[in-house]
């Protein structure tokens, strides 16, 4: 039996119209976004988040791969190094808050396979460890600025 994707992926990025309010988003720092799943809870698992502004197909491939693996019975946790997303390197999962809930953020190393804590990690990969609210322009100066809470 073919697995069925029974979760949604919510993508909030520059240039995309919000399905909730019809406003076009333009507040994210360059090369960053807030893309996350909704629906992993039915598997007693946290949802996943990706903040690198990759092409939509790549974001979907990564998040759906994690979702399908959870659906098949795998459980992931903060700090896991996960093989099988890319051929040449693992990705890491780190726990973050997104819209009032804990998620596992997929941390992808840069082209030299360096993670954000490496002082030589390059942009935009080095910014993956930013708190979700700081993915937005101006959030550094205005603590009340947050990622829109459209669910």
């Amino acid at each position: 039996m073919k697995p069925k994707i029974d979760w949604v992926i919510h993508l909030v990025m520059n240039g995309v119209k919000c399905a909730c309010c019809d406003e076009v988003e333009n507040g994210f720092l360059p090369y960053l976004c807030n893309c996350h799943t909704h629906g992993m809870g039915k598997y007693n698992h946290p949802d996943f988040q990706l903040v690198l502004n990759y092409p939509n197909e790549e974001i979907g491939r990564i998040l759906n791969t994690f979702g399908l693996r959870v659906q098949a019975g795998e459980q992931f946790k903060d700090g896991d190094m996960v093989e099988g997303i890319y051929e040449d390197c693992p990705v890491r999962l780190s726990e973050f808050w997104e819209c009032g809930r804990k998620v596992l953020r997929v941390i992808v190393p840069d082209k030299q396979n360096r993670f954000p804590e490496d002082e030589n990690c390059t942009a935009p990969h080095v910014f993956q460890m930013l708190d979700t609210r700081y993915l937005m322009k101006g959030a550094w100066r205005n603590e009340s600025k947050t990622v829109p809470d459209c669910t």
Side-chain angles (χ1 to χ4, degrees):
M1 181 176 195
K2 184 177 179 183
K4 180 182 179 201
I5 293 176
D6 57 357
W7 54 87
V8 297
I9 295 176
H10 185 201
L11 174 59
V12 185
M13 64 188 296
N14 289 338
V16 173
K17 188 190 303 187
C18 177
C20 300
C21 63
D22 283 338
E23 290 188 27
V24 175
E25 180 59 60
N26 286 307
F28 282 91
L29 294 169
Y31 310 108
L32 299 178
C33 68
N34 178 8
C35 191
H36 49 272
T37 61
H38 290 279
M40 293 292 109
K42 67 177 68 83
Y43 302 104
N44 295 315
H45 198 281
D47 281 297
F48 295 97
Q49 179 188 45
L50 185 70
V51 299
L52 292 173
N53 189 353
Y54 286 151
N56 294 354
E57 296 80 13
E58 180 65 0
I59 291 172
R61 183 191 72 78
I62 293 168
L63 294 180
N64 282 329
T65 297
F66 274 104
L68 290 167
R69 288 173 68 167
V70 167
Q71 189 180 62
E74 279 188 74
Q75 291 287 304
F76 298 100
K77 64 185 182 318
D78 181 48
D80 280 352
M81 297 295 285
V82 181
E83 300 284 343
I85 302 299
Y86 291 105
E87 290 182 14
D88 65 337
C89 65
V91 298
R92 186 178 67 221
L93 295 174
S94 295
E95 191 175 84
F96 276 83
W97 283 91
E98 190 277 326
C99 292
R101 66 196 178 123
K102 288 183 182 179
V103 294
L104 290 174
R105 183 178 292 174
V106 181
I107 307 296
V108 180
D110 68 10
K111 289 181 181 180
Q112 288 74 40
N113 290 333
R114 295 178 297 218
F115 284 94
E117 61 276 6
D118 184 317
E119 65 184 35
N120 296 312
C121 184
T122 57
H125 294 78
V126 70
F127 300 119
Q128 293 176 95
M129 297 307 290
L130 290 175
D131 187 278
T132 301
R133 67 182 170 205
Y134 293 127
L135 301 173
M136 305 292 287
K137 292 184 244 178
W140 305 96
R141 293 181 300 280
N142 180 359
E143 284 295 319
S144 67
K145 177 80 171 161
T146 60
V147 175
D149 190 15
C150 297
T151 54

